[in-house]
């Protein structure tokens, strides 16, 4: 299930470390204003395309890109090229609901001019068809539910109106020499740090991302877990405050992402009775941000 990480303590930590400049970091996508989505076949969770879900502020000229936005798009294009998948970039003014008749700005891999086309959302199925991707449109008005507080308008629209496959959101990616070398899924919970393990309910999401890693050239796929707290520990040394990231949680007040110690899992692809690999999380151990400049365990 896709979740829009509007606020995430680990991403905020990375933003501050690299001063909002991802070009100084091998780790990408900690700026949470945009999302890179993997779209996969519902039958076997094999990826069929990538979509950039790009929410912009009202009054912004969606056809123009800043230097940072061009950099983001170029990184996504490199990833799509490595995975040999088409890329679609959807830009729209941030809002609660998008309908089939609404206009967005679209760029896709076949567009060599680098310009965005203003289209109605309903015509996206025609764009998918250009790449041999089958999609159907439901003629309905999307309904925003209580559980959609972290979802983008595009996410809600594709869930309610677009029949193309299943979606997974990429949290973080590590690139080296312009190639993806690691995909990172972020998880957090109030459950005790030592007791938490990846949920079986997330297996479909893990399967999509694991298959995506396979398309990228069998790169590493890790889950990184941190604890959430309702309040700061009593008597906390002020020098450690930077590792307790205050987050405003929608309708639930303030909480804290505790990121001094991270739990790391590697996703392995294992055969099963369905004759294709399913993901299996294997605990690698923990890493302390406090004493290491390397944020994630690597092979």
């Amino acid at each position: 299930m896709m979740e829009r990480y509007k606020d995430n303590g680990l991403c905020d930590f990375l933003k501050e470390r690299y001063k909002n400049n991802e070009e100084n970091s091998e780790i990408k996508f900690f700026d949470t204003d945009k999302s890179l989505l993997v779209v996969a076949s519902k039958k076997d969770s094999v990826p069929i395309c990538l979509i950039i879900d790009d929410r912009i502020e009202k009054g912004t000229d969606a056809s123009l890109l800043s230097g940072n936005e061009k950099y983001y798009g170029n990184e996504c294009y490199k990833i799509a090229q490595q995975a040999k998948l088409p890329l679609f970039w959807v830009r729209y003014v941030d809002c609660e609901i998008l309908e089939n008749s609404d206009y967005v700005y679209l760029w896709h891999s076949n567009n060599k001019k680098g310009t965005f086309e203003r289209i109605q959302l309903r015509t996206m199925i025609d764009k998918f068809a250009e790449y041999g991707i089958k999609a159907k449109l439901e003629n309905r008005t999307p309904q925003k539910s209580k559980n959609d507080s972290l979802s983008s308008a595009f996410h809600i629209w594709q869930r309610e109106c677009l029949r193309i496959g299943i979606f997974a959101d990429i949290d973080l990616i590590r690139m080296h020499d312009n190639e993806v070398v690691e995909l990172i899924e972020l998880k957090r919970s109030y459950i005790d740090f030592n007791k938490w393990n990846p949920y079986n309910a997330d297996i479909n999401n893990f399967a999509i991302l694991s298959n995506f890693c396979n398309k990228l050239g069998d790169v590493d796929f890790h889950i990184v877990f941190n604890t959430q707290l309702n309040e700061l520990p009593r008597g906390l040394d002020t020098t450690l405050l930077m590792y307790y990231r205050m987050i405003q949680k929608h309708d639930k007040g303030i909480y804290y992402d505790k990121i001094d110690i991270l739990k790391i899992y590697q996703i392995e692809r294992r055969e099963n009775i369905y004759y294709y690999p399913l993901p299996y999380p294997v605990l690698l151990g923990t890493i302390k941000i406090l004493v290491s400049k390397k944020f994630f365990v690597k092979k």
Side-chain angles (χ1 to χ4, degrees):
M1 180 179 180
M2 289 195 312
E3 179 183 356
R4 176 183 173 186
Y5 276 94
K6 183 62 178 176
D7 290 301
N8 181 280
L10 184 56
C11 289
D12 290 344
F13 181 86
L14 291 170
K15 283 182 189 179
E16 292 176 11
R17 181 178 176 85
Y18 296 104
K19 298 180 180 178
N20 295 317
N21 186 355
E22 293 189 35
E23 296 183 44
N24 290 335
S25 171
E26 287 191 348
I27 301 172
K28 312 297 179 181
F29 303 157
F30 48 76
D31 186 344
T32 54
D33 289 335
K34 297 174 178 59
S35 300
L36 181 59
L37 312 175
V38 183
V39 186
S41 165
K42 194 171 183 179
K43 179 181 178 181
D44 55 13
S45 298
V46 173
I48 56 178
C49 70
L50 302 178
I51 298 177
I52 301 175
D53 177 359
D54 186 3
R55 305 162 290 273
I56 60 177
E57 294 182 1
K58 187 176 181 179
T60 301
D61 187 342
S63 64
L64 299 178
L65 298 174
S66 68
N68 285 339
E69 288 168 337
K70 288 178 182 178
Y71 173 77
Y72 181 93
N74 286 335
E75 294 299 285
C76 291
Y77 184 71
K78 291 175 189 175
I79 294 167
Q81 290 290 100
Q82 184 175 336
K84 297 181 174 59
L85 292 172
L87 173 66
F88 300 86
W89 188 347
V90 182
R91 306 196 86 201
Y92 59 95
V93 174
D94 204 1
C95 58
E96 286 198 355
I97 294 295
L98 283 172
E99 299 184 23
N100 294 341
S101 58
D102 287 333
Y103 283 86
V104 298
Y105 283 79
L106 176 71
W107 177 92
H108 53 94
S109 297
N110 282 346
N111 183 344
K112 303 304 180 183
K113 296 180 180 180
T115 57
F116 284 81
E117 178 185 1
R118 186 172 181 264
I119 66 165
Q120 280 187 307
L121 269 175
R122 67 171 72 252
T123 64
M124 277 202 69
I125 59 172
D126 300 323
K127 302 298 181 182
F128 291 132
E130 293 180 14
Y131 296 85
I133 299 172
K134 295 180 180 180
K136 293 182 179 180
L137 197 69
E138 297 287 345
N139 188 22
R140 64 173 68 177
T141 300
Q143 302 296 315
K144 187 176 176 69
S145 68
K146 292 181 179 179
N147 293 329
D148 286 327
S149 60
L150 295 176
S151 299
S152 72
F154 181 82
H155 175 193
I156 298 170
W157 174 79
Q158 63 83 13
R159 183 191 68 200
E160 298 285 338
C161 299
L162 183 64
R163 297 293 172 262
I164 186 175
I166 48 181
F167 286 67
D169 193 354
I170 295 176
D171 292 336
L172 296 175
I173 270 182
R174 185 194 297 273
M175 298 184 72
H176 182 72
D177 290 338
N178 290 321
E179 287 195 350
V180 178
V181 295
E182 179 187 12
L183 188 147
I184 301 159
E185 174 85 349
L186 300 179
K187 292 294 181 182
R188 50 190 180 175
S189 173
Y190 292 111
I191 294 175
D192 182 87
F193 184 84
N194 295 316
K195 295 180 179 179
W196 185 89
N197 282 300
Y199 298 121
N200 290 334
D202 286 331
I203 192 170
N204 288 334
N205 191 67
F206 296 157
I208 295 170
L209 297 177
S210 178
N211 288 333
F212 180 57
C213 287
N214 187 49
K215 279 190 167 292
L216 288 166
D218 200 24
V219 304
D220 285 343
F221 178 18
H222 292 129
I223 296 172
V224 174
F225 170 76
N226 71 269
T227 302
Q228 291 178 329
L229 302 172
N230 289 314
E231 58 185 14
L232 292 173
R234 292 183 179 181
L236 179 67
D237 189 326
T238 56
T239 61
L240 300 179
L241 278 175
M242 66 179 298
Y243 300 106
Y244 292 79
R245 314 300 294 192
M246 186 173 70
I247 302 294
Q248 177 69 54
K249 200 165 188 178
H250 185 77
D251 294 335
K252 293 185 179 179
I254 299 294
Y255 74 102
Y256 297 86
D257 275 343
K258 181 176 180 290
I259 62 166
D260 58 336
I261 302 178
L262 306 174
K263 202 172 184 180
I264 315 296
Y265 294 80
Q266 177 150 314
I267 296 293
E268 295 183 356
R269 294 163 57 85
R270 298 189 179 182
E271 298 291 334
N272 79 335
I273 59 173
Y274 298 108
Y275 304 107
Y276 58 85
L278 283 179
Y280 187 85
V282 176
L283 178 64
L284 295 183
T286 61
I287 187 168
K288 294 182 179 180
I289 289 182
L290 184 62
V291 295
S292 175
K293 293 182 180 180
K294 290 185 178 181
F295 294 110
F296 305 111
V297 171
K298 299 178 69 176
K299 278 186 177 179

